[in-house]
Amino acid sequence: RIKPTAVTILGTPLVLWRDSSGRVTCVQDKCPHRSVPLSLGYNEGGRLECLYHGWQIEAKSDEGIGKVVHIPSILPEAKIPASAKCRTHETFEQ
């Protein structure tokens, strides 16, 4: 399991991780479910997984960047709410 990296820029807590293609992704370090710092979680196959309830945030999905794409406790036929997403920030790697 790979740990993401926590950083604070101008007082804003952020978390960085690499997606499955190796691209760096940055979102606010706050789970949209219970506000747990996402930096406490893990990078699971390019998805950032919250340590608390296992919600997984995709670096880039069909529905956008920072979207929750997996909730372990949700029924298979249920849809993940559109509001289940993280605030994202652009990255540029040199």
Side-chain angles (χ1 to χ4, degrees):
R1 294 181 123 180
I2 301 168
K3 293 286 290 175
T5 302
V7 296
T8 300
I9 299 176
L10 298 174
T12 302
L14 304 170
V15 62
L16 302 161
W17 81 99
R18 291 189 184 273
D19 66 12
S20 57
S21 68
R23 187 181 66 229
V24 175
T25 302
C26 178
V27 298
Q28 188 173 5
D29 194 6
K30 178 179 165 184
C31 180
H33 180 229
R34 295 285 183 192
S35 299
V36 173
L38 290 169
S39 57
L40 298 176
Y42 295 96
N43 181 339
E44 290 290 333
R47 292 178 174 177
L48 184 58
E49 181 175 292
C50 179
L51 182 67
Y52 193 53
H53 283 126
W55 285 32
Q56 290 184 353
I57 292 90
E58 184 77 29
K60 186 173 184 180
S61 68
D62 294 337
E63 298 172 23
I65 298 171
K67 182 82 174 121
V68 174
V69 294
H70 176 70
I71 300 174
S73 62
I74 200 168
L75 297 173
E77 62 273 5
K79 287 191 173 188
I80 295 174
S83 61
K85 59 185 174 183
C86 297
R87 184 171 185 187
T88 62
H89 300 274
E90 287 193 41
T91 59
F92 180 77
E93 194 169 16
Q94 294 183 343

